[in-house]
Amino acid sequence: MDEIVLMSDPKVAAIPVAENGERFVDVRRSGSLLVDTRKQDLTDAFAYLREGVLERLLKAQTMLPQGLRLLFVEGYRPPSLQREYFEEYTDQLRAIHTEWSQEQIHSAASRYVSPPEIAPHSAAAAVDLTLADASGRELDLGTRMNADPEESDGACYTHALNINEEARANRKLLGSVLTTAGLVNYPTEWWHWSFGDRYWALVTGEAAAFYGPKEIAARG
């Protein structure tokens, strides 16, 4: 397995953001994506993405075999919620690994939750998604979505070896259409894909990201 650059790596934070001001759009309005409600919140923030990200998801979906769909689970995540998730997971790790330094905790936490200051979800640049059949039934991708490394024994890593052949084939299919559409994967989470954020810029060699974290009031 190739070396994985984590979100906590200084190389990610060093990427500048040239915010282009692209609008946030509600993915439900296109009517083309299956939208799961497991992350639904009072403001419906979960359903928002930058316009350019949604365009690429719709392009990716057209490349799927007949009878398969992308199943959207979460897009935008307010910075305050991102911080809550990050702190909650660092607390869990601290309780499990009492011998780890704060730096080790911070790095390990970023395998599963991005540090709030650079989080792609808080820029509406990242999406958590999976594959489903025409009826909305999720395909086997090896773990439940949002399974952490401890729970899944590392099977949440995109190129994990401890998953069955069906799950591996489904991950390969998901990755092929999303990569072709211009998104990049965070290799510790098979379901996390992004475009236009700092991590995307690092992976693709772009000089700057053009979506940065923002606090917005999602509108219907």
Side-chain angles (χ1 to χ4, degrees):
M1 190 180 297
D2 294 337
E3 182 182 358
I4 292 174
V5 177
L6 295 175
M7 287 284 185
S8 60
D9 194 300
K11 293 194 292 286
V12 181
I15 298 289
V17 176
E19 172 62 54
N20 69 2
E22 189 175 285
R23 70 190 183 117
F24 287 56
V25 292
D26 187 334
V27 302
R28 296 168 298 186
R29 290 188 176 178
S30 74
S32 299
L33 294 179
L34 292 173
V35 178
D36 188 282
T37 58
R38 75 187 76 172
K39 288 288 187 177
Q40 191 166 13
D41 56 283
L42 292 176
T43 65
D44 277 352
F46 86 104
Y48 282 76
L49 285 175
R50 298 290 186 134
E51 191 170 30
V53 183
L54 177 56
E55 288 173 356
R56 285 162 176 80
L57 291 184
L58 296 178
K59 177 182 177 182
Q61 182 157 264
T62 67
M63 293 183 268
L64 288 173
Q66 187 173 1
L68 294 184
R69 304 276 299 278
L70 294 178
L71 178 61
F72 173 97
V73 176
E74 185 178 20
Y76 177 69
R77 188 181 297 155
S80 56
L81 183 58
Q82 182 72 28
R83 184 169 300 281
E84 179 183 322
Y85 285 171
F86 189 77
E87 291 176 352
E88 185 176 275
Y89 188 48
T90 56
D91 287 345
Q92 291 178 22
L93 291 175
R94 197 174 290 113
I96 297 170
H97 302 285
T98 56
E99 76 284 5
W100 281 7
S101 67
Q102 183 57 36
E103 183 179 352
Q104 287 174 302
I105 293 290
H106 189 271
S107 177
S110 75
R111 297 169 304 164
Y112 180 58
V113 186
S114 175
E117 59 274 11
I118 55 97
H121 277 290
S122 295
V127 57
D128 292 341
L129 78 175
T130 187
L131 291 172
D133 62 20
S135 67
R137 181 184 63 86
E138 291 183 43
L139 273 57
D140 179 10
L141 276 90
T143 73
R144 71 175 184 89
M145 184 178 291
N146 291 319
D148 64 42
E150 289 74 31
E151 169 194 332
S152 67
D153 192 26
C156 59
Y157 281 47
T158 305
H159 299 292
L161 300 179
N162 56 336
I163 58 174
N164 62 45
E165 288 300 322
E166 180 183 2
R168 189 171 293 114
N170 287 335
R171 288 188 188 186
K172 184 177 180 180
L173 174 61
L174 181 66
S176 67
V177 299
L178 291 171
T179 299
T180 300
L183 287 87
V184 302
N185 174 242
Y186 188 43
T188 63
E189 300 176 337
W190 59 259
W191 57 85
H192 177 107
W193 292 80
S194 68
F195 171 80
D197 61 296
R198 282 180 165 120
Y199 199 83
W200 167 87
L202 180 69
V203 171
T204 60
E206 292 289 330
F210 41 83
Y211 305 142
K214 297 185 76 172
E215 192 76 64
I216 67 158
R219 295 182 296 276

